[in-house]
Amino acid sequence: MSSDQLKLLLQIIKIIRLGIGLSKELNKSYDRSMQVLETAIAEDRDPTKEEWQELNSLIDTLHNKLQGE
Amino acid sequence: MLQGFRTVLFNLIAILAVWLNDKFGIQLTEEMQTSLVVTILGIGNIILRFITKTPIFKKDEIAKSANKKYLILIPLLCLTTIGCTIFKAETPAQRYYALKSEYERLLIVAVGYKENCLNGALPDSCKDHVKYIRQADNSLYHAFDDADYFIETGANENLALAIVPISTGLQEFANYLTKINQE
């Protein structure tokens, strides 16, 4: 692993710490995505069309929040 | 199994560093963490040389290399979840879903920063950062949008290649968010 990748790893750790202080409401959506992924892995399948739509919808909401005034 | 050794090791060290800090307030500087990781990795590689005949840093062909680069990023990002769900992802679609979930996670951090900036909780310079965050997010958003096409068509090889620039963009996005949150 290169020094750049090492730096990335350490920076990701810092991002985790940043995430700890975020609102529970926002983190819920991320937890939901992880739950979907975990279920898909357990059932040995790819995410369904509905699950993709759900994730895309969450991302759209956050993206619009960030881009909006 | 041995191919995942380095990734697992890096994850364990990283989790240990976070745990030591959160539980005991012991802060390992970046230099200390790097030294620790490199030392253990070196010892691990020596052990691996005795139990495997495959060169540890052997390069693969371009497509595999691109896929590998993407695969390296996933376990790094997986540190954000307990149980490391992302690390378990096996198919290209599952991995892409995991990567997209991490984008969602970074967006949550970015939205939090923007809201703090608007509330006046941050110095005025935060407005410039928000501007940059928006630009970076726009690029990532469209890159994901393009890669979604390969999910719809089931073109896994194209998906792996399309993910490389996205991974780089996500790294930069994460780096920037880290930097501005430390100011």
Side-chain angles (χ1 to χ4, degrees):
Chain A
M1 184 170 280
S2 71
S3 61
D4 282 347
Q5 287 166 338
L6 268 178
K7 282 179 190 169
L8 169 67
L9 174 66
L10 298 176
Q11 279 157 345
I12 293 294
I13 295 168
K14 287 171 195 163
I15 286 287
I16 301 166
R17 291 175 182 159
L18 297 177
I20 292 168
L22 292 174
S23 75
K24 286 180 182 174
E25 200 58 39
L26 283 175
N27 268 328
K28 265 184 193 172
S29 65
Y30 178 76
D31 292 342
R32 167 68 185 145
S33 303
M34 286 297 97
Q35 191 187 358
V36 166
L37 181 60
E38 206 156 296
T39 305
I41 294 168
E43 293 174 359
D44 196 21
R45 61 168 175 81
D46 287 333
T48 63
K49 197 174 178 181
E50 290 72 26
E51 288 166 341
W52 280 113
Q53 281 173 348
E54 190 180 5
L55 177 62
N56 289 338
S57 168
L58 290 169
I59 285 175
D60 284 347
T61 303
L62 287 164
H63 172 72
N64 290 334
K65 259 187 184 178
L66 185 60
Q67 298 297 334
E69 291 305 319
Chain B
M1 187 184 95
L2 292 174
Q3 284 184 340
F5 172 78
R6 279 177 289 161
T7 304
V8 172
L9 178 64
F10 270 78
N11 283 325
L12 286 175
I13 296 292
I15 290 166
L16 176 70
V18 174
W19 184 77
L20 281 174
N21 186 32
D22 288 342
K23 293 290 177 188
F24 302 105
I26 300 171
Q27 287 196 334
L28 297 179
T29 63
E30 286 192 9
E31 289 76 17
M32 288 166 69
Q33 290 181 42
T34 304
S35 300
L36 187 62
V37 169
V38 170
T39 302
I40 295 177
L41 188 61
I43 294 169
N45 279 340
I46 290 168
I47 295 169
L48 280 175
R49 293 307 302 143
F50 284 101
I51 57 178
T52 178
K53 292 174 181 174
T54 308
I56 292 170
F57 295 108
K58 188 180 178 183
K59 298 288 181 191
D60 291 325
E61 64 260 29
I62 294 173
K64 281 188 179 174
S65 172
N67 199 22
K68 213 169 181 180
K69 188 176 178 185
Y70 154 55
L71 293 180
I72 286 169
L73 183 71
I74 298 288
L76 292 181
L77 294 172
C78 85
L79 289 167
T80 55
T81 91
I82 296 169
C84 219
T85 306
I86 294 168
F87 192 43
K88 298 176 197 163
E90 290 174 356
T91 69
Q94 286 174 356
R95 289 175 185 142
Y96 180 64
Y97 188 95
L99 196 62
K100 209 162 182 183
S101 299
E102 287 305 327
Y103 171 51
E104 179 197 0
R105 172 80 169 192
L106 292 175
L107 275 178
I108 291 171
V109 175
V111 168
Y113 183 88
K114 182 201 160 191
E115 286 176 353
N116 282 335
C117 183
L118 289 179
N119 293 338
L122 296 171
D124 272 356
S125 60
C126 71
K127 288 170 187 167
D128 290 335
H129 293 318
V130 169
K131 192 177 171 186
Y132 181 86
I133 289 172
R134 282 174 165 164
Q135 287 171 351
D137 165 51
N138 258 333
S139 300
L140 280 169
Y141 184 83
H142 292 298
F144 272 112
D145 204 33
D146 291 343
D148 282 350
Y149 172 75
F150 299 122
I151 283 289
E152 289 162 18
T153 55
N156 287 336
E157 285 183 15
N158 290 336
L159 180 64
L161 290 171
I163 279 170
V164 174
I166 292 178
S167 301
T168 307
L170 270 183
Q171 285 179 35
E172 288 170 4
F173 199 38
N175 289 349
Y176 193 79
L177 286 172
T178 304
K179 193 186 93 181
I180 61 175
N181 275 284
Q182 285 175 335
E183 284 181 356

